[in-house]
Amino acid sequence: MSTPWDDWNHVLKIDPDKDLPEGTTYGDLCATGTDAIEVGGTMGITERNMEAVVDACAEHDVPLYQEPSSPDVVIDNDALEGYLIPTVFNAGSPFWITGAHKEWVRIDDGLDWDRTTTEAYIVMNPEADVATYTEADCDLDADDVASYATVAERMFGQEIVYVEYSGTLGEEEIVAAAGEATDEATLFYGGGIHDYDSAYAMAQYADVIVVGDLGHDEGVEAVRETVEAASDA
Ligand code: 1GP
């Protein structure tokens, strides 16, 4: 089965709770050459700030996905290609594995299954909000991460395995191990990508690199460099 992310190298994640550099617009970020935009974040997310970012990106020609941190911020917007729903495989609390999802699937109007896909997160930076929030066990070596990736792909049929170092650049050995362990699944890597070289390093092992804070902190040119690295790797 072919999926949209089979063809991606680069995703730009826009956090509705974070500002953009002065003079940068959402449209500028959409025009960096990234393969898709994911709109999401861990803290301070509301339906209203989600909607504002999706609306601002909607008129630009790049696939738009919402990555909701919890069911109550999911928005119904035709501009969205789909919803990428995190499930944290190494979460300490089952709420972040299936608990939130169990509430969500019984919402009144039901889910739009054709547009809904889960992402099997392996959260690796203990300092990141997502790690504290989900009480993730980040004390994992390359073999543990490879094993989680296999569980995600082979046992749970996940299309996307996401090695998440949010806020810091990960270890190449760990990302490489996840890359070797995944066959059908698309491996996403995110965290600390800040220039061509860091993007290239991770894109050697991951199918898709995800760039987040760089867009908010540095803006368009810096993001463009990472797009270039992702396609060169
Ligand atoms: C966050 O993986 C993304 O969910 C990207 O991380 O903000 O560190 O680039 P950064």
Side-chain angles (χ1 to χ4, degrees):
M1 188 185 70
S2 94
T3 60
W5 28 92
D6 278 345
D7 299 328
W8 296 353
N9 295 316
H10 187 283
V11 165
L12 180 63
K13 198 178 277 192
I14 299 182
D15 186 330
D17 191 43
K18 293 184 181 160
D19 294 331
L20 299 186
E22 192 150 341
T24 301
T25 66
Y26 290 114
D28 296 336
L29 289 175
C30 292
T32 48
T34 189
D35 295 306
I37 303 269
E38 264 189 87
V39 187
T42 308
M43 313 298 275
I45 307 299
T46 62
E47 262 182 81
R48 186 198 274 225
N49 62 16
M50 271 282 183
E51 195 86 55
V53 175
V54 170
D55 284 345
C57 294
E59 58 203 76
H60 303 279
D61 191 22
V62 60
L64 269 182
Y65 288 78
Q66 191 190 359
E67 188 187 54
S69 49
S70 69
D72 53 304
V73 301
V74 176
I75 59 169
D76 183 11
N77 189 312
D78 289 342
L80 291 168
E81 284 305 302
Y83 302 90
L84 296 174
I85 312 298
T87 170
V88 179
F89 270 56
N90 59 330
S93 156
F95 184 77
W96 301 107
I97 309 172
T98 51
H101 316 69
K102 155 180 133 309
E103 300 310 320
W104 188 25
V105 294
R106 51 179 146 170
I107 55 169
D108 284 350
D109 296 334
L111 288 198
D112 181 352
W113 291 112
D114 290 340
R115 288 196 294 162
T116 303
T117 309
T118 47
E119 297 166 313
Y121 265 74
I122 307 165
V123 170
M124 294 300 292
N125 175 10
E127 309 285 311
D129 285 341
V130 61
T132 35
Y133 218 54
T134 63
E135 298 160 47
D137 171 16
C138 302
D139 189 17
L140 305 176
D141 64 18
D143 207 39
D144 293 320
V145 171
S147 192
Y148 267 128
T150 302
V151 171
E153 177 184 289
R154 296 284 166 181
M155 292 182 166
F156 287 81
Q158 296 293 288
E159 288 177 21
I160 298 171
V161 173
Y162 192 139
V163 176
E164 169 70 295
Y165 275 90
S166 183
T168 192
L169 194 64
E171 284 175 51
E172 288 188 35
E173 187 204 348
I174 298 254
V175 187
E180 270 163 37
T182 43
D183 178 17
E184 308 258 301
T186 303
L187 180 65
F188 283 30
Y189 167 82
I193 291 176
H194 56 276
D195 59 8
Y196 182 94
D197 290 344
S198 52
Y200 190 94
M202 292 305 166
Q204 291 179 84
Y205 309 111
D207 300 307
V208 175
I209 56 165
V210 182
V211 169
D213 283 349
L214 192 69
H216 294 280
D217 297 340
E218 304 292 334
V220 175
E221 280 316 315
V223 173
R224 260 201 202 113
E225 267 186 42
T226 65
V227 171
E228 205 184 304
S231 72
D232 290 349

